[in-house]
């Protein structure tokens, strides 16, 4: 579209000369400040708050669960209900600072993808100046989305100067709604969802019979979200593995074969342990400050010996009640790239039960097969310590020195293949023993960038 | 600027922009229409329900290096909710600030090209070329004006029916064709971010602090990560 506003001529009934606004014009002092709206539920009389007053069109009464049309001054009942509502893990009305803005939870919907066995919660966040965001929690990630007001022709061909990769396709069906929405949200709503990922960034396409909506998302640290919304402990959906002992069935032969195979495997593993010669091929300590935020650190070239084998990258940082995230790329011959995001988080404190701690001051990623050659590391550190409030990147930058070290180790003892072999050996006995099918817990809606350990 | 008095209640009344033809009296709510020689009250405007918007008549913003003042608004209702069209003027190039579903965009009126006034209403998916740019019709909707405040370049009576054809360009930006009882209008516009237009003289929002001016937020998915 044109950069300069077109030569105006507002098509009015009268022919008008050049427009002029008196320079001394002062804003009208309105009768009062803008505010949320409070109304009574036409079904139960309970008090309903409409935070995005003038924007929300549907609200669910928290007392009785009835759906209300709040688009107009006169509130209308859409669907009556008489049951107590379930409070989501982050209650409606909770405020928290994310990506530098204070948001209030206006609505929450639970969605499920029955075909893939996934389910997740979506919070609708509101700020009167910045509008809406969607905060989505699945079993792996917290992701903050904003709707895009433009078309994305093909994310895999590049968008935002990034290369997005297709991650998942599925159907989302709404199973629960609470709070307020600027659309006619209701249980049973269905959309097709396709997601594309590039490191911390996500592009999501939702399509229903009426429209296609693209959103851009960014992954957040769980600790950031927990801190922002004052949640006591990490909230992650837990799988409902059916452990009912009544379904166990014993097969003596199977048990013996399994035991023999497991012993053989352990013997084999200890032999390979002895022959493995693990070696540190690179190690460096980095000191960064807030001034480095968003910059990429590049290491000197280093050699990785041998023709093949695994490689472990260990990141360490002495964080206390703080976090450091190190998106990194290991770039080798022919620009082959291995990407990972070690995340170091360590929290400790005391409560009525005594001292507690959580997380670790190190993080590891292991690439199973990396050919030998000359490599370098590109690291783009993010640290809570860069800012006065670790959860708020808009808060005052600190001058704090954030130190971390990165160690690259060749030929680490490969416990992964050991566990895989053990798993394979155990597969048939388990099948015999556990006859009860287990329900799938929410599976990854997106795979992690981390290489399997 | 035309300073006059409300023909209904006698209160002071201003037409601050030279392109506006109608103003709602802030004292008595009369809708006042001006022509070249007279100022006439044509009825009462019911007061608009309040909302959470931090915008108000008199607030100002910068678009394309021009400092605009919001002079009036029309509140539009449609099947999917409501939006607000703010008339803004900088004395040279008047336009509109559109506030819908928590997003802002600006639009400027174009002269209606030959044939546009009488052509059949476009269908969904139709291609329309405006100023050499190809747009596609991506949405068709019907809306009703719930009322207005301040001054506007057309008579925004409550109950005024308008139909809209939303046009989207492949290279970003949008256009719109609308049709009311007084004919069709054509607009081109673009989406803006709250932080990029330096809003001033906003009204307070109870319980909320306005963001600091000009702060683009690192990590907010509203912005492209490459920006």
């Amino acid at each position: 579209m044109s950069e300069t506003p077109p030569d105006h001529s507002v098509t009015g009934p009268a022919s008008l000369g050049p427009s002029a606004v008196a320079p001394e014009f002062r804003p009208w002092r309105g009768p009062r400040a803008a505010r949320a709206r409070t109304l009574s539920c036409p079904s139960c009389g309970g008090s309903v708050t409409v935070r995005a007053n003038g924007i929300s069109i549907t609200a669910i009464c928290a007392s009785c669960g009835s759906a209300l049309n709040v688009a107009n001054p006169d509130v209308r009942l859409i669907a009556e209900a008489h049951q107590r509502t379930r409070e989501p893990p982050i209650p409606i009305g909770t405020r928290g600072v994310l990506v530098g803005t204070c948001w209030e939870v206006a609505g929450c919907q639970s969605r499920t993808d029955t075909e893939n066995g996934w389910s997740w919660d979506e919070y609708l966040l509101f700020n009167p100046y910045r509008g809406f965001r969607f905060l989505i929690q699945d079993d792996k990630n917290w992701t903050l989305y904003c709707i895009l007001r433009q078309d994305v022709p093909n994310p895999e061909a590049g968008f935002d100067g990034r290369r997005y990769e297709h991650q998942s396709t599925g159907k989302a069906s709404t199973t629960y709604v609470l709070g307020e929405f600027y659309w006619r949200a209701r249980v049973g709503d269905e959309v097709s969802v396709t997601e594309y990922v590039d490191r911390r960034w996500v592009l999501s396409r939702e399509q229903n019979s009426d429209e296609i909506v693209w959103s851009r998302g960014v992954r957040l640290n769980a600790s950031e979200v927990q801190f922002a919304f004052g949640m006591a402990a990490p909230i992650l959906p837990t799988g409902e593995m059916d452990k009912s002992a009544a379904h166990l069935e014993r097969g003596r032969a199977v048990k013996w074969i399994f035991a023999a195979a497991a012993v053989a495997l352990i013997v084999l593993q200890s032999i390979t342990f002895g022959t493995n010669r693990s070696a540190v091929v690179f190690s460096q300590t980095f000191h960064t400050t807030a001034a480095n935020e968003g910059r990429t650190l590049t290491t000197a070239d280093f050699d990785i010996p041998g023709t093949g084998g695994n490689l472990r990258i260990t990141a360490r940082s002495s964080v206390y009640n703080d976090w450091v995230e190190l998106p990194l790329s290991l770039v080798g011959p022919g620009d082959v790239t291995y990407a990972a995001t070690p995340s170091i988080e360590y929290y400790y404190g005391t409560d009525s039960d005594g001292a507690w701690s959580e997380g670790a001051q190190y993080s590891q990623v292991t690439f199973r097969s990396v050919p030998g050659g000359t490599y370098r590391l590109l690291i783009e550190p993010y640290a809570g310590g860069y800012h006065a409030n670790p959860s708020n990147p808009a808060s005052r930058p600190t001058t704090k020195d954030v130190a971390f070290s990165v160690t690259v180790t060749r030929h680490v003892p490969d416990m992964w293949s050991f566990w895989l072999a053990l798993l394979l050996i155990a597969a048939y006995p388990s099948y015999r023993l556990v006859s009860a099918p287990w329900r799938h817990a929410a599976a990854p809606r997106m795979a992690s960038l981390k290489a399997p350990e | 600027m035309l300073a006059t008095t409300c023909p209904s209640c006698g209160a002071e009344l201003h037409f601050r922009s030279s392109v506006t033809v109608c103003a709602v009296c802030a004292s008595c709510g009369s809708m006042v229409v001006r022509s070249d020689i007279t100022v006439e009250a044509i009825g009462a405007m019911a007061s608009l329900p309040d909302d959470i918007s931090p915008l108000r008549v008199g607030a100002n913003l910068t678009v394309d290096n021009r400092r605009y003042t919001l002079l009036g608004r029309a509140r539009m209702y449609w099947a999917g909710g409501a939006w607000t069209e703010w008339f803004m003027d900088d004395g040279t190039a008047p336009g509109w600030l559109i506030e819908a579903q928590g997003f802002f965009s600006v639009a400027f009126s174009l002269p209606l090209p030959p044939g546009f006034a009488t052509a059949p209403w476009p269908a969904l998916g139709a291609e329309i070329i405006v100023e050499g740019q190809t747009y596609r019709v991506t949405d068709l909707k019907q809306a009703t004006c719930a009322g207005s405040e301040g001054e506007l370049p057309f008579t925004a009576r409550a109950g005024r029916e308008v139909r809209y054809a939303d046009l989207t360009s492949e290279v970003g930006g949008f256009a719109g064709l609308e049709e009311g009882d007084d004919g069709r209008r054509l607009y081109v516009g673009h989406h803006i971010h709250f932080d990029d237009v330096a809003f001033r003289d906003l009204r307070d929002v109870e319980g909320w602090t306005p963001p600091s001016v000009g702060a683009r937020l690192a990590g907010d998915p509203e912005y492209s990560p490459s920006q």
Side-chain angles (χ1 to χ4, degrees):
Chain A
M1 69 152 295
S2 62
E3 280 301 300
T4 48
D7 201 20
H8 82 282
S9 82
V10 175
T11 47
S15 79
L16 301 153
S19 143
V21 182
E24 77 281 9
F25 185 37
R26 282 278 156 271
W28 294 2
R29 293 294 158 206
R32 61 187 166 103
R35 58 166 69 152
R37 176 182 175 198
T38 309
L39 50 92
S40 303
C41 171
S43 176
C44 74
S47 170
V48 178
T49 302
V50 181
R51 295 173 170 84
N53 180 14
I55 312 174
S56 290
I57 64 169
T58 304
I60 313 297
C61 172
S63 318
C64 72
S66 294
L68 314 175
N69 178 346
V70 296
N72 300 295
D74 56 319
V75 180
R76 264 169 277 165
L77 194 62
I78 301 169
E80 204 159 0
H82 295 287
Q83 54 181 37
R84 282 190 64 81
T85 54
R86 169 174 69 81
E87 189 80 85
I90 308 176
I92 305 295
T94 309
R95 285 194 186 185
V97 174
L98 286 179
V99 296
T101 297
C102 180
W103 303 101
E104 187 161 301
V105 177
C108 177
Q109 64 173 333
S110 299
R111 290 170 123 184
T112 183
D113 181 329
T114 43
E115 216 166 282
N116 290 309
W118 304 335
S119 57
W120 63 94
D121 286 338
E122 298 194 5
Y123 295 95
L124 178 65
L125 307 181
F126 178 67
N127 173 293
Y129 303 92
R130 294 218 159 92
F132 295 100
R133 299 290 182 276
F134 293 84
L135 178 64
I136 297 189
Q137 176 192 32
D138 58 35
D139 72 328
K140 272 220 151 92
N141 298 293
W142 286 94
T143 311
L144 184 69
Y145 291 87
C146 181
I147 283 181
L148 288 172
R149 293 173 291 167
Q150 70 194 95
D151 189 30
V152 182
N154 179 8
E156 287 170 307
F159 184 74
D160 286 343
R162 292 183 166 263
R163 203 56 171 269
Y164 288 90
E165 276 180 30
H166 176 264
Q167 193 71 40
S168 65
T169 299
K171 255 195 166 44
S173 160
T174 302
T175 55
Y176 181 77
V177 288
L178 188 65
E180 58 181 273
F181 303 90
Y182 61 83
W183 67 95
R184 301 195 192 288
R186 64 190 124 200
V187 170
D189 281 349
E190 285 213 345
V191 290
S192 305
V193 187
T194 309
E195 293 225 317
Y196 302 84
V197 174
D198 179 27
R199 297 167 72 107
R200 306 168 63 215
W201 296 89
V202 186
L203 280 179
S204 158
R205 177 187 188 274
E206 290 199 2
Q207 180 172 20
N208 64 15
S209 53
D210 292 336
E211 56 180 353
I212 295 171
V213 177
W214 284 94
S215 303
R216 182 194 289 124
V218 62
R219 300 267 192 254
L220 301 176
N221 284 311
S223 57
E224 199 177 340
V225 179
Q226 284 148 19
F227 183 90
F229 291 102
M231 292 185 283
I235 303 167
L236 283 172
T238 47
E240 294 175 66
M241 192 94 75
D242 195 329
K243 286 176 182 158
S244 170
H247 289 98
L248 295 184
E249 169 197 311
R250 281 162 173 69
R252 193 177 269 184
V254 172
K255 217 161 74 180
W256 279 110
I257 293 165
F258 169 62
V263 168
L265 180 69
I266 289 163
V267 169
L268 215 68
Q269 177 71 15
S270 13
I271 293 167
T272 30
F273 243 89
T275 57
N276 252 336
R277 282 190 298 158
S278 103
V280 171
V281 295
F282 177 82
S283 187
Q284 189 177 340
T285 301
F286 300 84
H287 291 270
T288 71
T289 63
N292 292 94
E293 190 163 17
R295 294 209 195 131
T296 304
L297 308 173
T298 307
T299 68
D301 287 352
F302 55 88
D303 283 322
I304 294 178
T307 49
N310 68 18
L311 193 79
R312 172 171 293 172
I313 299 177
T314 307
R316 290 187 181 82
S317 182
S318 308
V319 289
Y320 292 99
N321 291 325
D322 199 355
W323 55 269
V324 174
E325 197 172 80
L326 302 169
L328 56 84
S329 296
L330 177 70
V331 183
D335 282 341
V336 58
T337 301
Y338 299 83
T341 304
S343 173
I344 306 164
E345 300 179 49
Y346 184 68
Y347 299 87
Y348 70 104
T350 48
D351 58 19
S352 54
D353 297 332
W356 58 267
S357 74
E358 174 185 312
Q361 293 181 323
Y362 72 96
S363 174
Q364 293 183 327
V365 289
T366 306
F367 300 110
R368 282 206 311 286
S369 173
V370 178
T374 303
Y375 286 79
R376 64 185 187 282
L377 276 169
L378 310 182
I379 309 169
E380 202 176 295
Y382 295 88
Y386 286 164
H387 296 278
N389 173 355
S391 297
N392 181 353
S395 64
R396 184 171 46 80
T398 65
T399 53
K400 195 168 153 186
D401 174 73
V402 175
F404 63 89
S405 71
V406 173
T407 303
V408 181
T409 311
R410 183 63 154 168
H411 298 312
V412 289
D414 194 357
M415 291 305 283
W416 187 88
S417 57
F418 168 74
W419 291 117
L420 180 72
L422 196 66
L423 200 76
L424 286 174
I425 293 171
Y428 183 65
S430 311
Y431 171 74
R432 285 290 307 271
L433 291 171
V434 186
S435 59
W438 56 74
R439 257 179 298 165
H440 243 296
R445 207 149 80 91
M446 313 93 185
S448 149
L449 285 170
K450 284 179 190 170
E453 292 263 347
Chain B
M1 180 178 82
L2 171 67
T4 179
T5 53
C6 171
S8 178
C9 75
E12 211 178 309
L13 186 73
H14 299 277
F15 285 89
R16 291 183 167 88
S17 163
S18 60
V19 302
T20 53
V21 297
C22 130
V24 176
C25 172
S27 299
C28 71
S30 290
M31 175 159 267
V32 179
V33 176
R34 70 164 162 183
S35 67
D36 288 342
I37 42 168
T38 62
V39 172
E40 188 188 356
I42 59 161
M45 175 64 74
S47 65
L48 283 170
D50 200 13
D51 56 41
I52 196 75
S53 172
L55 305 187
R56 63 171 164 190
V57 170
N60 54 83
L61 69 156
T62 300
V63 179
D64 298 331
N65 294 317
R66 295 168 182 277
R67 195 75 199 162
Y68 281 97
T69 304
L70 303 184
L71 295 176
R73 65 168 169 145
R75 181 86 171 145
M76 305 301 297
Y77 277 74
W78 68 295
W83 76 88
T84 306
E85 297 179 352
W86 294 89
F87 176 67
M88 62 181 192
D89 201 350
D90 71 331
T92 313
W96 296 87
L97 172 67
I98 298 143
E99 194 186 12
Q101 299 185 334
F103 281 121
F104 300 104
S105 49
V106 290
F108 299 92
S109 175
L110 287 181
L112 211 55
F116 271 54
T118 51
W121 196 246
L124 209 59
E127 276 189 359
I128 294 181
I129 296 162
V130 178
E131 303 251 289
Q133 179 66 55
T134 306
Y135 295 86
R136 192 174 291 281
V137 178
T138 48
D139 199 13
L140 293 172
K141 54 181 179 275
Q142 181 92 22
T144 307
C145 180
S148 62
E149 181 193 346
E151 55 189 282
L152 291 169
F154 53 81
T155 314
R157 276 194 194 86
R160 180 177 190 262
E161 299 266 330
V162 185
R163 64 169 164 170
Y164 291 82
D166 291 342
L167 313 176
T168 310
S169 141
E170 278 188 6
V171 296
F174 63 87
L177 186 65
E178 61 176 71
E179 183 180 74
D181 50 10
D182 53 351
R184 292 181 180 178
R185 291 185 176 80
L186 180 67
Y187 298 89
V188 292
H190 57 273
H191 301 294
I192 58 168
H193 300 290
F194 180 88
D195 298 299
D196 292 347
V197 294
F199 276 115
R200 274 211 310 260
D201 287 328
L202 297 175
R203 66 172 177 164
D204 293 337
V205 183
E206 240 173 55
W208 292 91
T209 315
S212 46
V213 171
R216 267 213 167 190
L217 301 170
D220 188 330
E222 178 172 354
Y223 301 105
S224 164
S226 60
Q227 275 174 9

